[in-house]
């Protein structure tokens, strides 16, 4: 008689106890080069972030010297003449004023770039906003600062609404913002030509063929910034600038090092921050302060407005939910949509914000120098802003340096004719600088990505080997 049958075991075989292994996650798609350039993506390491622009500027300087030699000029004497002329007091004032306009234009472009939108229409947006706000300011006499605020706000509103047309066309009809903004530039030019007429919003200046809007009254103008610069860069003001600037540099570098996990502990960030603070104090006290404390010309009174715009741009893009949604929508609209972000809404808002900043481009000149919109009003600043934004990698600090460089080159172009060099060579210099910086940054970025991928692969391989060796037999 056989014993009782054993109940079937409910436990599965040992080889089935293990949960099925999940397939390896697919590697994220690499960011296209054009999108990386527009969004200012670059190397993440501090050494590479400093070395890449230095290398690019050295290469561009060598190429520029070669071009000058090809034209038959002595490159050393040409560059020396540019530096000598560009460092005179009057030239420094003109460079600061030019850089203010270039900076605002580049920030307007950079807002779109951060979402992979190419706002070519900045030029038309700022010219139309400047003309209409100048007509409004000349027609009204209001006490300060109401008159200034009214003109500035109206310019932002006009620029934002004009840019919104391209955003609405893109999300409703799929029209490329490049094509629509180019067409809107042409329409803006036609509107300005129609309205800038003595029968409409302008008047003919006696003794000339120039037509302009009515002058803005004294109560609506903005005075020069020279007195504030003198107070900031002399005496107690200079000491305060040195202390605050050094503290900001130390804190920023330390925070970036800690967030990036570079180095061990707090020491590396503090050391690098201290070095940067020392350099800042030396350059500011010995170079910047003696120049800015006693300038002969009139610096735009709205120069601080450009600084505020840059700070707000940096804070919003890097430290707010809106900025995160903007950057994510630019990198991957599908991923943004999956996470609950409306890409269509972000496109319209981004274009409006870009246009609103574009409306500010003409304000320093309008309220601080010309006080009217005429045929002589600065034009073409929108296209300059595109190159400045690319050169500055869409970062407020980088854009500021790029704006100063372009302003310096534009200011010193006339002196080249004295050494038998055509002034048009400056345009070639600017193009060489931008192309070199863009190419070097992209090459360094790709090299760093490959280095990181190789490092991760080595670590994973080592980890697998260690796990295999430690597994029980």
């Amino acid at each position: 008689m056989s014993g009782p049958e054993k109940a079937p075991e409910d436990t599965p075989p040992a080889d089935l106890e293990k949960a099925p292994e999940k397939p390896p996650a697919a590697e994220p798609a690499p960011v296209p080069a054009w999108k990386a350039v527009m969004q200012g993506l670059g190397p993440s390491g501090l050494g590479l972030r400093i070395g890449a622009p230095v290398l690019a500027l050295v290469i561009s300087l060598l190429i520029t010297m070669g071009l000058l030699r090809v034209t038959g000029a002595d490159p050393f004497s040409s560059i020396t003449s540019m530096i000598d002329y560009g460092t005179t007091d009057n030239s420094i004032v003109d460079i600061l004023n030019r850089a203010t306009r270039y900076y605002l234009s580049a920030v307007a472009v950079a807002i779109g770039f951060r979402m992979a939108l190419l706002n070519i229409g900045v030029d038309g947006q700022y010219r139309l906003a400047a003309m209409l706000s100048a007509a409004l300011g000349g027609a009204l006499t209001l006490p300060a600062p109401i008159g200034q605020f009214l003109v500035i706000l109206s310019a932002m509103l006009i620029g934002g609404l004009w840019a919104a047309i391209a955003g609405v066309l893109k999300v409703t009809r799929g029209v490329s913002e490049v094509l629509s903004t180019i067409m809107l530039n042409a329409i803006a030019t036609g509107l300005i030509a129609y309205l800038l007429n003595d029968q409409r919003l302008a008047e003919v200046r006696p003794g000339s063929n120039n037509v302009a809007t009515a002058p803005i009254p004294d109560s609506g103008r903005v005075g020069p910034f020279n007195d504030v610069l003198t107070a900031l860069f002399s005496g107690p003001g200079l000491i305060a600038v040195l202390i605050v600037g050094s503290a900001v540099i130390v804190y920023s570098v330390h925070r970036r090092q800690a967030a990036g996990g570079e180095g061990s502990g707090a020491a590396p960030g503090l050391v690098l921050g201290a070095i940067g603070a020392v350099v800042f104090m030396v350059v500011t006290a010995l170079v910047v302060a003696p120049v800015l404390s006693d300038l002969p010309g009139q610096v735009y009174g709205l120069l601080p407005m450009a600084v505020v715009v840059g700070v707000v741009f940096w804070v919003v893009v890097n430290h707010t939910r809106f900025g995160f949604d903007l950057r994510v929508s630019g990198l991957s609209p599908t991923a943004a949509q999956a996470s609950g972000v409306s890409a269509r809404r972000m496109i319209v808002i981004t274009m409006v914000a870009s246009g609103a900043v574009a409306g500010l481009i003409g304000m320093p000149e309008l309220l601080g120098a010309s006080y009217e919109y005429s045929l002589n009003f600065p034009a073409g600043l929108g296209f300059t802003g595109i190159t400045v934004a690319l050169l500055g990698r869409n970062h407020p600090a980088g854009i500021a340096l790029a704006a100063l460089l372009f302003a310096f080159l534009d200011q010193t172009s006339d002196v080249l004719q004295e050494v038998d060099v055509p002034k048009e060579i400056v345009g070639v210099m600017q193009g060489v600088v931008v192309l070199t910086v863009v190419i070097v940054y992209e090459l360094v970025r790709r090299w760093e990505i490959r280095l990181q991928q190789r490092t991760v692969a080595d670590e994973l391989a080592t980890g697998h080997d260690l796990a295999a060796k430690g597994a029980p037999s």
Side-chain angles (χ1 to χ4, degrees), residues 299-325:
V299 179
Y300 283 151
L302 290 181
L303 186 149
M305 181 186 69
V307 177
V308 171
V309 168
V311 172
V312 172
F313 169 63
W314 179 77
V315 171
V316 170
V317 170
N318 296 286
H319 298 282
T320 65
R321 173 60 188 269
F322 173 79
F324 176 78
D325 293 343

Side-chain angles (χ1 to χ4, degrees), residues 17-100:
E17 291 181 359
K18 299 178 181 178
E21 295 183 358
K22 295 181 180 180
E27 294 183 0
V31 179
W34 66 270
K35 188 173 290 188
V37 170
M38 289 182 65
Q39 295 205 336
L41 300 181
S44 57
L46 184 61
L48 293 178
R49 293 172 68 91
I50 297 175
V54 172
L55 176 62
L57 290 177
V58 170
I59 294 175
S60 61
L61 179 61
L62 294 176
I63 295 175
T64 300
M65 294 178 70
L67 292 174
L68 290 172
R69 175 63 68 183
V70 169
T71 61
D74 181 9
F76 294 99
S77 63
S78 300
I79 294 176
T80 301
S81 299
M82 294 176 67
I83 294 175
D84 292 340
Y85 180 74
T87 52
T88 60
D89 291 342
N90 290 326
S91 292
I92 290 174
V93 172
D94 291 337
I95 289 172
L96 287 175
N97 291 340
R98 287 175 185 262
T100 302

Side-chain angles (χ1 to χ4, degrees), residues 117 165-180 344 347:
L117 294 174
I165 299 174
V168 172
L169 288 175
K170 184 176 180 66
V171 300
T172 58
R173 291 293 181 263
V175 180
S176 169
E177 75 278 4
V178 176
L179 298 177
S180 59
R344 294 158 62 92
I347 288 174

